[in-house]
């Protein structure tokens, strides 16, 4: 059996390694072959971007060599897939190669597309990519006080990130001695402050305690002050 894993992020790596361990004897007997195709030879630890946004980690610290994370029996190639031929059980890659499979795993991740909301890129900061986290840190470093609005849509990448960033902003401004000059307001689109009920129940009194204002059932729209 030929198993093809497309994408070498957390999802693809965990799955491919798990399969390689569980099917070790089949792989040794050449009954199973696992191939991974990815777009990069590096693996980024995305949760670390939160620390980059506050200058607590350098971007370089988030990267590992992808091949070093894989079981040695996994055949790894940096060659992104450009075409999926699902009816023919094959993919075509950027280099022009064709890979046939019996089982396909797609783990190509997701990315935010702020460019779809006019003004969002110019008027806001995010921490969902290396470039945006570095940009956010530069902006925060220059910030001397004012209003900070945390605005989230659902679904959002990383369940806990909106709450985490709110506490991190509070701690950051406190450490810089400017917390009393900053008004932090958190906005969430459903009728409580987090999708996970227990998180919402826990976080609400914590927000009250640290002086974070919140508004729920609140969807971002342009022209909002
Ligand atoms: C700031 C932040 C904090 C987070 N905190 C948490 C947390 O606390 N807990 C938690 O569970 N999750 C957290 N997450 C989410 C978690 O990091 C992601 O859900 C996870 O990394 C996604 O893994 P993935 O494999 O699906 O995608 P990715 O890691 O994005 O990997 C996608 C892979 O696919 C490859 N690829 C893309 N296109 C192609 C192609 N055409 N062909 C071949 N390969 C391709 C890429 O090179 C990459 O290797 C956080 C995320 C962020 C940004």
């Amino acid at each position: 059996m030929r198993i093809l894993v497309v994408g070498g992020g957390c999802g693809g790596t965990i799955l491919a390694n798990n399969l390689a361990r569980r099917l070790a004897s089949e792989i040794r007997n050449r009954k199973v072959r696992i191939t991974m195709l990815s777009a990069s030879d590096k693996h980024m630890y995305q949760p670390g971007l939160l620390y980059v946004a506050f200058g607590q980690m350098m971007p370089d610290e988030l990267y590992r060599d992808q091949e070093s994370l894989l079981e040695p029996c996994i055949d790894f190639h940096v060659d992104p897939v450009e075409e999926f031929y699902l009816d023919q059980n094959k993919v075509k890659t950027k280099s022009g190669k064709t890979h046939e499979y019996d089982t396909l795993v797609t783990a190509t991740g997701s990315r935010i597309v702020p460019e779809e909301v006019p003004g969002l890129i110019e008027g806001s900061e995010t921490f969902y990519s290396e470039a945006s986290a570095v940009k956010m840190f530069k902006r925060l470093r220059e910030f001397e006080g004012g209003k900070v609005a945390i605005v989230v849509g659902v679904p959002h990448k990383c369940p806990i990130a909106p709450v985490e960033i709110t506490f991190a902003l509070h701690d950051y401004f406190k450490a810089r001695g400017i917390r009393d000059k900053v008004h932090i307001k958190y906005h969430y689109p459903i009728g409580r402050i987090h999708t996970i009920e227990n998180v919402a129940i826990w976080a609400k009194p914590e927000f009250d305690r640290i002086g974070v204002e919140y508004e729920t059932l609140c969807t971002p729209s342009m022209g909002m002050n």
Side-chain angles (χ1 to χ4, degrees):
M1 179 193 274
R2 298 156 301 175
I3 301 171
L4 180 64
V5 181
V6 181
C10 269
T13 301
I14 291 171
L15 186 115
N17 281 338
N18 255 309
L19 286 176
R21 285 164 203 153
R22 286 171 194 223
L23 300 172
S25 65
E26 287 85 348
I27 292 169
R28 262 196 310 276
N29 296 333
R30 297 177 186 274
K31 288 187 183 147
V32 171
R33 198 175 74 214
I34 303 176
T35 303
M36 175 182 280
L37 300 174
S38 196
S40 169
D41 63 344
K42 296 279 180 290
H43 182 105
M44 196 223 284
Y45 177 66
Q46 294 183 28
L49 290 170
L50 272 167
Y51 297 93
V52 171
F54 289 96
Q56 292 166 354
M57 275 183 102
M58 296 298 283
D60 291 359
E61 294 176 77
L62 308 184
Y63 290 95
R64 304 265 300 270
D65 178 36
Q66 174 61 22
E67 201 157 13
S68 73
L69 301 174
L70 296 174
E71 290 289 335
C73 61
I74 297 168
D75 186 25
F76 175 66
H77 304 272
V78 180
D79 195 4
V81 171
E82 291 198 333
E83 302 273 356
F84 289 87
Y85 300 96
L86 298 178
D87 53 340
Q88 298 168 45
N89 279 23
K90 66 180 188 185
V91 298
K92 199 169 167 200
T93 62
K94 192 175 178 189
S95 72
K97 286 195 182 123
T98 297
H99 292 259
E100 295 181 350
Y101 58 81
D102 300 298
T103 300
L104 173 70
V105 178
T106 46
T108 49
S110 63
R111 64 179 179 87
I112 61 165
V113 278
E115 57 274 25
E116 287 192 357
V117 181
L120 197 58
I121 289 184
E122 303 78 18
S124 70
E125 304 298 331
T126 74
F127 46 83
Y128 288 103
S129 68
E130 180 186 328
S132 65
V134 169
K135 181 171 162 280
M136 179 165 160
F137 172 56
K138 288 181 180 157
R139 181 91 181 269
L140 278 176
R141 223 174 26 176
E142 288 158 12
F143 190 73
E144 293 300 337
K147 290 182 186 171
V148 175
I150 297 136
V151 182
V152 189
V154 278
H156 47 77
K157 199 167 186 174
C158 176
I160 208 64
V163 170
E164 216 173 345
I165 199 82
T166 306
F167 288 115
L169 284 164
H170 166 80
D171 289 346
Y172 174 80
F173 295 132
K174 209 171 149 199
R176 281 189 49 204
I178 58 167
R179 180 63 183 94
D180 57 336
K181 297 192 182 106
V182 185
H183 179 93
I184 303 178
K185 186 166 175 188
Y186 174 96
H187 305 77
Y188 207 69
I190 64 166
R192 56 177 185 244
I193 65 171
H194 197 268
T195 322
I196 303 167
E197 194 172 3
N198 282 341
V199 172
I201 291 168
W202 170 81
K204 205 170 158 184
E206 288 298 312
F207 279 6
D208 289 334
R209 183 178 63 78
I210 63 172
V212 168
E213 199 187 336
Y214 42 82
E215 189 171 332
T216 55
L217 272 182
C218 174
T219 311
S221 74
M222 289 304 99
M224 194 173 69
N225 292 315

